[in-house]
Amino acid sequence: MDFSHNEQRRMLEETATRFLRDNYPLRVRHEHAAATAGFSRDMWSRFAELGLVGALFHEQHGGYGGTGFDIAVLFEALGRSLVVEPFFASLLGGSLLAELCRPEQRALIAEIINGSRLVSVAHTEPQSRYDLADVATSATRDPHGGWRLQGNKAVVPNGDTAESLIVSARMHGTQSEPQGIGLFLVDARAAGLERCGYATVDGGRAAEITLNDVVLDESASLGRAGEAFAALENAVGLATLALCAEALGAMQAATDMTLEYLRTRKQFGVTIGSFQVLQHRYVELLIEIEQVRSQLINAASSIDSGAPDCQWQLSAAKHLTGRVARLVAEETVQLHGGIAMTWEYGLAHFAKRLVMIDHWLGDTDHHLERCVMLARDTGLSATSAIR
Amino acid sequence: MDFSHNEQRRMLEETATRFLRDNYPLRVRHEHAAATAGFSRDMWSRFAELGLVGALFHEQHGGYGGTGFDIAVLFEALGRSLVVEPFFASLLGGSLLAELCRPEQRALIAEIINGSRLVSVAHTEPQSRYDLADVATSATRDPHGGWRLQGNKAVVPNGDTAESLIVSARMHGTQSEPQGIGLFLVDARAAGLERCGYATVDGGRAAEITLNDVVLDESASLGRAGEAFAALENAVGLATLALCAEALGAMQAATDMTLEYLRTRKQFGVTIGSFQVLQHRYVELLIEIEQVRSQLINAASSIDSGAPDCQWQLSAAKHLTGRVARLVAEETVQLHGGIAMTWEYGLAHFAKRLVMIDHWLGDTDHHLERCVMLARDTGLSATSAIR
Amino acid sequence: MDLRYSPEEQAFREDIRRFLEDRLDSRLREKVRNGQRLNKSDYENWHALLNTRGWLAVTWPREYGGTGWNAVQRHIFEEECCAAGAPRIVPFGLNMLGPVLMKFGSQAQRDYYLPRILDGSDWWCQGYSEPGAGSDLASLRTRAVRKGDVYVVDGQKTWTTLGHYANRIFCLVRTSTDGKPQEGISFLLIDMQSPGIEVKPIVLLDGEHEVNEVFFDAVQVPVENLVGEENRGWTYAKYLLTHERTGIAGVGFSTTALDDLRRIARVQLKSGLPLAKDPYFAARMAKVEIDLEAMKTTNLRIIAAAATGSAPGVESSMLKIKGTVIRQEINDLTRRALGPYALPFVSEALEAGHNQEAIGPDYANPVANQYFNNRKLSIFGGSNEIQKNIIAKSLGL
Amino acid sequence: MDLRYSPEEQAFREDIRRFLEDRLDSRLREKVRNGQRLNKSDYENWHALLNTRGWLAVTWPREYGGTGWNAVQRHIFEEECCAAGAPRIVPFGLNMLGPVLMKFGSQAQRDYYLPRILDGSDWWCQGYSEPGAGSDLASLRTRAVRKGDVYVVDGQKTWTTLGHYANRIFCLVRTSTDGKPQEGISFLLIDMQSPGIEVKPIVLLDGEHEVNEVFFDAVQVPVENLVGEENRGWTYAKYLLTHERTGIAGVGFSTTALDDLRRIARVQLKSGLPLAKDPYFAARMAKVEIDLEAMKTTNLRIIAAAATGSAPGVESSMLKIKGTVIRQEINDLTRRALGPYALPFVSEALEAGHNQEAIGPDYANPVANQYFNNRKLSIFGGSNEIQKNIIAKSLGL
């Protein structure tokens, strides 16, 4: 048993943390978020140069990482600084590509890693909520070869700026069948593809995407028949882990700010941290955050070891993250008082991100229900992550 | 709008409260609970003489009360003193009799009111949990006239001492159909009826009852065909209200004891009530108790006015009572510390009753689910108790 | 024990309902219902409308042009306003300053200011909180030094809601540093056009400008603008803060918000079925519905007690705490109900003129923002922690 | 980062499992599994069994006859014992007094007492708490006055767990009233057979006799029974209290309890279906299962840190708090799972000999009682509130 990171991962953590500390104060983050793209292309290139994008990918795909723990370590650092650059979209899209792409498409991954290409995944639909198998967008065979896509995609992360989109569409089957879903690599400028970008409450950007008879080559189809859903589940699993880790980082930042405030802010002639009620409520947050860290470790470990209960561990992590993130957001705001309600003081931005992470890839209720279903369907009960 | 009680009900409250204060300290309660019957026959007679049993019944049935608010007022007082005498069983059985009995059976109600006859309801079965419609016990027509009962009844309140039992049994239909349930008045000494009495965790007594081919006269059947379930639901409604009120009384007693302790017990050189954490946690209890009181008023009012959402209001009250009763029990014990864990100090007995009330007539989950179902089935949404 | 409204009260409710149906501007109603931004003239028009009917000053006695309503009537009025989608009444002049002037102001102050509140000549804002004195109000430091016929005021106020709309501010200022902190405070009425006053916006976490900082640099205030006696302002301030407020539990707002949530849960789909039929979500909704149903009666019990004269003491603290918790919980559930569509936030869509197509369902846009904005409910107006301290103190703890 | 146990650790686990399978008395195992009462000889037999294998003193170094195990090994041992239905090891001599004697006791004390703990000659109990000094231990008042070769002890201890089985008690006593309350405390070893000692049972809320009051009336204690120096007892007491205890999170107990709950939920019916398939109940179970799954790793992270030498500080307070909350939550769910059958309580059925038919399902009888009894978990051993104070203090609050 060993709870320390290896040398390479410690370096990743240090590199990311040091760079962000020196170059990414909250003021800079707000500037990036306010830009048209919702992030800074220049900063994205610098992250890529630093190897942080490459940390999302295995060596065999030209990266320097790609394990659950690499992703956990990196996103925790990103969460501490509330980074708005498109790591999340790149992880989602890049992992799918890495798993499914044809040899001739492998150059794309290199472009993602060097920061010159942004890819995202257009999967969620207006009606699908958090159900991964609910795909109404259709992919029909073109009589002249290739495919035609028709449908609507919702809340695609960085969907307004991504150059490439991986679009899910139904090749056959009913609307919520995992089988019959296909994945297609689509150029964002393709004829018939319209996108409407907008800001999200937590400081990022997303897009609604309309696919109006988009014509694709045969080569646009990714993976072999029937492979798509499993690949999607894997990529979403990594991205879910990333969100949990990001939330963990944001929780730490939020509680650190709160501790500082409790120690220095005076009311009634004493520091407010001397009030026992505030002390206990703060301590309760720390305890829950340690629990999130532990479940994140369980989930990362289960991904890396290919454990059979991996999906349970991931859903457990996302459920717990959602539960604790809301608690941390609401309580750190309340412990501060009025100042936390202002834009100027930084805490609110962490609180907003913490709460809204629950709306990406399934909220705390969705994943609790998924834990129930997974345990029920597979007969898996609490097989522990520790073996 | 008027939130004060009328003269008669204020008298009932005063009579009960004064009598219990003078004659029913916790020491006496424990003596009664430890008796073979689980209560004192003598005390029961005195309660009856005082008119407290009669307060459960309408004038038309020879009583002096019988409204939701009468029951609420009385049981709140009983709860404050943790009374173990069989008011609950008498209310359940008596209400059913009052609603369904034949003219020649009306004398029974007079006997209940004067304390000379104890009646209970044998309805719950080993498999039925809190489902009122789940009755497997069978009632079959005897070829020679009358009925034969066969089956098992579970956790019948005061079932080991009641002289008369109202037994539910299925005349037709599948196991959980409301229709087809009949109610039968059975002498507890009837041949084929076996009972096994035992103590309950909260200081009362109950019995498992086996009906092994119990032969009954035609006249044992109560009410007309198809009336039984509605009558059962009404009687259980009143008894549910009674439990909520009893819990409210017990919550007040428990928090009063706790306030006294917080004010006087010293640790670290100060009264423990000076610790802000304990103050806030105590205040939170008071707020929730006020909410229980309000929902009890809503439910009593909906019974008395025959409101269409009466069952919703009752389930809402029982749900909220269950939720708050657990909170009050656990928190008042925790606010006390070790002393609350002892038999000698009284609080634990209130805590036990508060928690176990959740196991009578449906727990907090059951009634929350019932609220969901009632609103869904009838299209009733939050029609307020206040009109 | 009778939970029914009397026939008179029911008729009263009917009157109000009809008035709102007939006269409340439908454009304004839509703005409120859609959670869009209200501007200054929206509030002014609403006040003017009520004033024509004599229903603006709901807490004032008739002799000052108020309604003379009792607590139950005020409650009915608030319920109907919420249900109709009316804006709130801006409370600073009407519910805060007005009662203070009636009780402690000079005859001249009452004669001059009260009618101007009613006819909309004055928009008041509140100068209580300071950067160093939030919950600990008594430690305020804005100074007023008497020089001849004027007080010279220096200092800073904060959290001044809608101060950018106001032409007057009532302020707590320090006129003495002797004795306990509470003892040197005075209550001043200040013209916002006075030289030396500067109003700076505070942008809140949702990007909105609702509250302000107000800076005072040698601002001259005529001594006749002192309310009551010098150094007695703490008494007046406490009167204002504890002055019975029927709306403190926010039951009307919560009821409307729960109705909205229910409507949304009926159309939001989860696995093809309405979210309202999902057992997990339905249970969450039922739970808060039960809390609110109980709170309605808790609220009325206290209101009824107030109507018969017994002043609500710590009960209003209880209402504040549980009322805000319930409202926040409903906001939270509404956010959850939207699923991924809680994420998009198009700020321009909060403007009434906006007519671009909505992102996601048309009710979605303001929801997450409202959740975040309403975190203030448990902080402002005496934080829930302060309210618990007050209750504990009243119990002798 | 590697959550797997090493091959050595796995082999170690196998060893223990096989030993327990072979040697743990099946009657004793059943008693534990059915929640029945254990008597003195049950514990003595269990200790003796472990002692023959050299596995009794899990926290002691080898030189004193201990196992010399590291924290991970101890954790594995505890897990296996819980899973096998073994009784707990009575901690007073082994995990509490033993380490104190090793660190602060005289050579004579170590030579005499440590072997007697191992071979079962002595059953120790703990004399810390007093009626007026629960969480506030430093204010204790039991007095020891030195007279020649003896201390004369007067006073009262309380919450003395299993004191009615013990022949010896280690006590904190006041030997001086000078200076801070902590400074006048000494650590004494007392023979329970000494004249002037009286043990009175305290009956707990479930009617069980588990803890006691111990009264001292002019009890004479030889001065050589003083541990360490006079008036330095507070240091030794704190060492004992903060001495690293692997089992503090109770993960083994919670795991067993959750297994039991799951088994019960599979056979308890609700509307004819297993309760485990009810969405509400399944969600409740999943929630606590997730909390426990995370807690297992939190526990191991801290244990692993302890195994590499970095002493767990406030982390053990965190484990105590969250660990007890989880255990209590599982107890609560088990109680709920039973429905009406949580109500019957047949005290005699807690005795092993009992062979009347069970009321309701055979697993039901001890459940509600266990729920109530385990409310102690968040009170005893330093209440969860005290633990939060400790953590807050460590953060400089």
Side-chain angles (χ1 to χ4, degrees), chain D residues 8 42 58 75 95 127 134 141 220 229 233 246 259 274-275 281-282 293 321 324 338 355 389 391:
Chain D
E8 294 74 29
D42 287 330
V58 296
H75 171 75
N95 299 338
R141 287 187 297 194
Q220 301 206 346
E229 295 173 45
T246 40
D259 285 344
L275 188 59
F281 201 82
E293 181 71 9
I321 297 166
T324 54
L338 298 183
N355 51 10
N389 287 347
I391 299 172

Side-chain angles (χ1 to χ4, degrees), chain B residues 62-322:
Chain B
Y64 339 100
T67 68
F69 283 114
D70 293 318
I71 288 164
V73 159
L74 174 60
F75 274 83
E76 191 181 331
L78 299 176
R80 276 197 297 269
S81 293
L82 276 186
V83 171
V84 291
E85 276 64 27
F87 281 95
F88 174 67
S90 301
L91 173 63
L92 252 183
S95 316
L96 266 182
L97 266 185
E99 189 164 344
L100 297 177
C101 72
R102 295 152 192 265
E104 67 268 24
Q105 291 162 331
R106 301 194 66 161
L108 287 178
I109 301 177
E111 290 177 29
I112 295 172
I113 290 176
N114 72 27
S116 64
R117 176 176 295 271
L118 183 55
V119 62
S120 187
V121 176
H123 174 63
T124 300
E125 300 188 355
Q127 82 292 343
S128 67
R129 203 174 171 88
Y130 304 122
D131 183 355
L132 220 52
D134 183 341
V135 173
T137 296
S138 65
T140 45
R141 277 267 171 216
D142 193 292
H144 314 290
W147 298 87
R148 285 172 183 274
L149 303 190
Q150 184 77 35
N152 297 295
K153 294 293 177 177
V155 200
V156 177
N158 299 105
D160 52 345
T161 44
E163 289 96 13
S164 301
L165 293 166
I166 298 171
V167 179
S168 62
R170 182 159 295 287
M171 302 191 292
H172 57 78
T174 58
Q175 191 180 312
S176 56
E177 248 177 71
Q179 293 80 21
I181 295 174
L183 291 166
F184 300 86
L185 181 63
V186 182
D187 188 303
R189 292 155 308 176
L193 188 150
E194 269 174 56
R195 44 189 184 171
C196 170
Y198 48 82
T200 59
V201 191
D202 49 359
R205 285 191 70 83
E208 301 296 286
I209 294 183
T210 312
L211 301 149
N212 196 2
D213 204 22
V214 175
V215 180
L216 301 174
D217 280 353
E218 188 61 43
S219 68
S221 166
L222 294 171
R224 271 167 295 175
E227 276 185 344
F229 189 76
L232 200 56
E233 207 167 41
N234 287 343
V236 166
L238 286 175
T240 302
L241 186 77
L243 289 175
C244 295
E246 189 185 333
L248 180 63
M251 288 177 203
Q252 286 173 333
T255 45
D256 286 350
M257 288 178 82
T258 305
L259 183 59
E260 182 60 24
Y261 195 76
L262 290 174
R263 278 180 179 151
T264 52
R265 164 75 168 169
K266 288 196 170 185
Q267 290 252 297
F268 305 102
V270 293
T271 59
I272 60 173
S274 65
F275 292 114
Q276 196 191 23
V277 157
L278 306 191
Q279 291 177 1
H280 281 210
R281 284 165 65 175
Y282 183 77
V283 165
E284 281 154 21
L285 301 185
L286 294 193
I287 293 173
E288 294 303 324
I289 292 173
E290 285 308 308
Q291 287 281 89
V292 170
R293 177 179 295 289
S294 292
Q295 190 52 35
L296 182 69
I297 290 172
N298 290 346
S301 166
S302 77
I303 287 183
D304 291 347
S305 66
D309 65 347
C310 169
Q311 292 296 326
W312 187 92
Q313 295 288 357
L314 280 166
S315 276
K318 190 68 166 57
H319 163 76
L320 194 59
T321 299

Side-chain angles (χ1 to χ4, degrees), chain C residues 311-324:
Chain C
V314 294
E315 287 84 359
S316 73
S317 291
M318 289 196 177
L319 290 180
K320 165 71 172 32
I321 296 165
K322 191 69 188 177
T324 54

Side-chain angles (χ1 to χ4, degrees), chain D residues 59-239:
Chain D
T59 59
W60 295 12
R62 280 169 183 279
E63 54 177 309
Y64 293 111
T67 57
W69 288 340
N70 65 21
V72 174
Q73 287 171 306
R74 286 200 296 276
H75 171 75
I76 293 172
F77 177 73
E78 284 186 14
E79 268 194 342
E80 290 303 317
C81 286
C82 279
R88 63 175 184 146
I89 293 175
V90 182
F92 310 106
L94 287 155
N95 299 338
M96 297 182 175
L97 181 62
V100 169
L101 289 184
M102 288 174 216
K103 190 156 172 102
F104 305 106
S106 67
Q107 192 58 47
Q109 287 169 342
R110 279 180 269 193
D111 290 347
Y112 182 72
Y113 290 114
L114 295 180
R116 293 175 59 86
I117 293 173
L118 290 177
D119 68 15
S121 307
D122 287 339
W123 183 305
W124 285 91
C125 64
Q126 184 187 35
Y128 270 34
S129 295
E130 298 187 6
S135 294
D136 178 17
L137 203 53
S139 74
L140 64 86
R141 287 187 297 194
T142 295
R143 236 169 0 124
V145 180
R146 177 150 182 181
K147 289 192 179 155
D149 286 348
V150 298
Y151 288 101
V152 180
V153 178
D154 285 278
Q156 182 191 348
K157 295 290 175 180
T158 191
W159 307 128
T160 310
T161 305
L162 301 186
H164 50 307
Y165 292 166
N167 65 324
R168 296 191 190 272
I169 182 168
F170 54 90
C171 273
L172 293 182
V173 293
R174 181 156 305 286
T175 38
S176 162
T177 50
D178 298 345
K180 286 195 217 159
Q182 292 89 323
E183 284 167 11
I185 292 172
S186 296
F187 195 110
L188 276 188
L189 310 176
I190 306 180
D191 188 329
M192 298 280 278
Q193 273 84 50
S194 312
I197 290 189
E198 192 184 359
V199 179
K200 284 189 186 166
I202 298 174
V203 179
L204 291 188
L205 80 177
D206 53 1
E208 297 292 308
H209 174 201
E210 188 179 315
V211 293
N212 302 271
E213 294 180 293
V214 182
F215 295 85
F216 298 85
D217 179 15
V219 175
Q220 301 206 346
V221 181
V223 290
E224 61 264 34
N225 284 16
L226 176 73
V227 174
E229 295 173 45
E230 201 176 87
N231 297 335
R232 297 288 304 274
W234 184 251
T235 314
Y236 317 148
K238 264 178 47 184
Y239 175 78

Side-chain angles (χ1 to χ4, degrees), chain A residues 43-289:
Chain A
M43 184 57 82
W44 184 240
S45 301
R46 292 173 70 188
F47 283 140
E49 273 163 39
L50 217 59
L52 300 189
V53 187
L56 307 176
F57 300 94
H58 284 284
E59 271 182 55
Q60 61 191 102
H61 300 115
Y64 339 100
T67 68
F69 283 114
D70 294 317
I71 288 164
V73 159
L74 174 60
F75 274 84
E76 192 182 330
L78 299 176
R80 277 197 296 268
S81 294
L82 276 187
V83 171
V84 291
E85 276 64 28
F87 281 94
F88 175 67
S90 301
L91 172 63
L92 251 183
S95 315
L96 267 182
L97 266 184
E99 189 163 343
L100 297 178
C101 72
R102 295 152 192 268
E104 65 268 27
Q105 292 162 330
R106 299 193 67 162
L108 287 178
I109 301 177
E111 291 176 28
I112 294 172
I113 290 175
N114 72 27
S116 64
R117 175 176 296 270
L118 183 56
V119 63
S120 186
V121 176
H123 175 63
T124 299
E125 300 188 355
Q127 81 294 342
S128 67
R129 202 175 173 88
Y130 304 122
D131 183 354
L132 220 53
D134 183 342
V135 173
T137 297
S138 65
T140 46
R141 276 264 173 221
D142 194 293
H144 312 293
W147 298 87
R148 285 172 183 272
L149 303 190
Q150 184 77 34
N152 297 295
K153 292 293 177 178
V155 202
V156 178
N158 299 106
D160 53 344
T161 43
E163 289 96 13
S164 302
L165 294 165
I166 298 172
V167 179
S168 61
R170 182 159 295 287
M171 302 191 293
H172 58 77
T174 59
Q175 190 180 312
S176 56
E177 249 177 71
Q179 295 80 22
I181 295 174
L183 291 167
F184 299 87
L185 181 62
V186 182
D187 188 303
R189 292 156 307 177
L193 188 152
E194 269 174 57
R195 45 189 184 170
C196 170
Y198 49 79
T200 58
V201 190
D202 50 358
R205 284 191 70 83
E208 301 296 285
I209 293 183
T210 312
L211 301 149
N212 196 1
D213 204 21
V214 175
V215 180
L216 299 176
D217 280 353
E218 188 62 45
S219 67
S221 167
L222 294 172
R224 271 167 295 176
E227 275 185 345
F229 189 77
L232 200 57
E233 208 167 40
N234 288 343
V236 166
L238 286 175
T240 302
L241 187 77
L243 289 175
C244 295
E246 188 185 334
L248 180 63
M251 287 177 203
Q252 285 173 332
T255 44
D256 285 351
M257 288 178 80
T258 305
L259 183 58
E260 181 60 24
Y261 194 76
L262 290 175
R263 279 180 178 151
T264 52
R265 164 75 169 171
K266 289 196 171 185
Q267 291 252 296
F268 306 101
V270 294
T271 59
I272 60 172
S274 66
F275 293 113
Q276 196 192 23
V277 158
L278 306 190
Q279 292 176 1
H280 281 211
R281 284 165 65 175
Y282 183 77
V283 166
E284 281 154 22
L285 300 184
L286 295 192
I287 292 172
E288 295 302 326
I289 292 172

Side-chain angles (χ1 to χ4, degrees), chain A residues 263 284 288 290 294 298, chain D residues 2 297-298 301 322 388 395:
Chain A
R263 279 180 178 151
E284 281 154 22
E288 295 302 326
E290 284 309 307
S294 290
N298 290 346
Chain D
D2 189 351
T297 293
T298 305
R301 280 164 52 208
K322 191 70 188 177
K388 287 179 193 170
L395 297 167

